[in-house]
Amino acid sequence: ARRAKQLPQEPGLAFCYDMLNRVSRSFAIVIQQLPAGLRDAVCVFYLVLRALDTVEDDMSLDPALKVPLLRCFHEKSYDRKWKMSCGGGEYVRLMENYPLVTDVFLRLDQRYQSVIADICQKMGAGMAEFVTDSAAESEVATTKDYNLYCHYVAGLVGIGLSHLFASSGLESESFQHTEDGVANEMGLFLQKTNIIRDYLEDITEEPRPRMWWPKDVWGLYADSLEAFRDPAQSTPALHCLNHLVTDALGHVQSCLEYMSRLRQPNVFRFCAIPQIMAIGTLSQCYNNHKVFTGVVKMRRGEVAKVMYRLDDFADVCAAFLNYAEDLKAKVEQAEGDPNQQKTQQLCAKIIASC
Ligand code: PS7
Ligand code: MN
Ligand code: MN
Ligand code: MN
Ligand code: MN
Ligand code: MN
């Protein structure tokens, strides 16, 4: 049951699963292992949002076109002819063959279609709020804005997925009502980890940087986000990094609570594997200057170890315990870090609840 399912032959579905495997490293495997009643809906949900994100990320699109497109993107999944040329790499093919995604979308259960379209509408409108038309040095002013942006691009995914789980009957009805709470935080934890880890990728983005680190945090440590790239500024850079890791760790209790309520083994794996990779990535990033000079990634073998034999909540606790212990050891070494105590307390709390 854990083997990846054979690729479907029907053209729409074949395109969707082929695309999924081309554009996502970690999601392709866990989505393909979902129960039949959810698999296609989650695959289409992923591709619709990936297409929306391609519009958001395309910096050659004029904001005067991008903003209205983000706002009406949810309607495109009902228009069998709609497609566009946008993005780069594999995403060009996704956008040019969008009618194949639409074809599968329109054959999904009505309730699944409504959830996907509703989340796409809210996410697109939220992304539109954060579009800036000049080379502003930072898009995100406050931690409140940071939480809001992460809600739009990831928290809403957690909420939508919860609605799909409840609609499928595979998980409890209570997943229908998790709007502002733990489902949102499941997404925030993943998105913040991505934003923290991608510092260098995002600041070196062409034609201009796209930064999501909140100014009310980085402003405590430097006059610009660029400054953190200077090796002479490594101390404030690490303090800022550790501050954001600490902020992200604040979501762990909610994530553990959410995962403890899942019942279907493959829905559980789909939710838990990315969460474990997130805490593993955070533990690698903490106090690690490589975030500012290169790519910090979990090793292949470590990822495989996570994916192999993850069956129940006890396995999640064991993994979180392991990474929280790693982190705790690193925090002890971070002498002079202004958030050291706070980070220590969060680690202790995670260890105690695992
Ligand atoms: C529908 C599975 C499981 C309750 C495309 C999964 C980009 C981190 O740096 O590609 O942009 O390349 O590594 C996923 C909650 C969203 C949040 C969000 C749709 C978990 C478009 C995913 C994913 C909620 C906006 C991957 C948040 O980033 O980043 C489905 C429960 C898409 C989830 C983006 C990011 C996802 C992300 P980069 P990645
Ligand atoms: Mn984006
Ligand atoms: Mn993106
Ligand atoms: Mn609801
Ligand atoms: Mn990123
Ligand atoms: Mn990426």
Side-chain angles (χ1 to χ4, degrees), residues 51 59 74 115 121 181 237 248 278 292 337:
M59 287 300 136
H74 61 104
V115 171
Q121 170 165 32
F292 302 100
D337 185 281

Side-chain angles (χ1 to χ4, degrees), residues 217 220-221 234-244 246 286-287 331 334-345:
V217 173
L220 298 171
Y221 306 101
S234 70
T235 299
L238 288 174
H239 289 170
C240 183
L241 170 65
N242 297 346
H243 190 137
L244 291 179
T246 306
Y286 183 84
N287 215 32
V331 180
E335 289 136 23
D337 185 281
N339 291 288
Q340 187 182 36
Q341 257 200 354
K342 199 173 171 194
T343 321
Q344 232 149 15
Q345 282 164 8

Side-chain angles (χ1 to χ4, degrees), residues 203-340:
I203 205 161
T204 53
E205 177 100 17
E206 291 300 335
R208 65 176 170 98
R210 294 195 71 208
M211 295 307 289
W212 310 107
W213 287 30
K215 186 172 185 179
D216 65 352
V217 173
W218 64 253
L220 298 171
Y221 306 101
D223 294 328
S224 76
L225 268 167
E226 275 289 338
F228 295 144
R229 295 181 69 188
D230 177 358
Q233 300 296 313
S234 70
T235 299
L238 288 174
H239 289 170
C240 183
L241 170 65
N242 297 346
H243 190 137
L244 291 179
V245 170
T246 306
D247 166 78
L249 289 174
H251 298 297
V252 167
Q253 298 300 326
S254 295
C255 293
L256 290 171
E257 195 212 304
Y258 183 98
M259 290 186 279
S260 75
R261 287 168 36 208
L262 294 164
R263 293 290 164 261
Q264 208 289 327
N266 288 317
V267 172
F268 174 79
R269 283 171 55 78
F270 166 73
C271 294
I273 288 170
Q275 298 289 323
I276 293 171
M277 287 170 65
I279 192 167
T281 302
L282 284 180
S283 135
Q284 272 203 346
C285 287
Y286 183 84
N287 215 32
N288 183 353
H289 194 261
K290 233 187 131 180
V291 169
F292 302 100
T293 59
V295 183
V296 177
K297 243 189 182 167
M298 280 173 77
R299 281 178 293 109
R300 252 176 207 281
E302 215 178 336
V303 175
K305 231 169 61 190
V306 166
M307 301 196 61
Y308 177 74
R309 287 235 167 144
L310 180 82
D311 292 313
D312 53 32
F313 189 63
D315 299 330
V316 160
C317 287
F320 271 69
L321 180 63
N322 171 57
Y323 290 120
E325 298 273 18
D326 284 359
L327 249 164
K328 190 174 166 246
K330 292 181 190 176
V331 180
E332 272 156 23
Q333 300 303 306
E335 289 136 23
D337 185 281
N339 291 288
Q340 187 182 36

Side-chain angles (χ1 to χ4, degrees), residues 45-59:
F45 192 20
Y46 182 89
L47 293 176
V48 167
L49 298 183
R50 186 45 82 193
L52 177 67
D53 186 51
T54 301
V55 174
E56 190 210 17
D57 290 356
D58 189 333
M59 287 300 136

Side-chain angles (χ1 to χ4, degrees), residues 179-208:
E179 259 77 310
D180 298 318
V182 291
N184 183 49
E185 290 192 77
M186 286 284 285
L188 260 58
F189 187 58
L190 299 188
Q191 188 65 30
K192 287 181 174 182
T193 301
N194 185 289
I195 285 172
I196 293 166
R197 185 202 61 189
D198 287 350
Y199 168 90
L200 189 66
E201 182 184 313
D202 293 340
I203 205 161
T204 53
E205 177 100 17
E206 291 300 335
R208 65 176 170 98

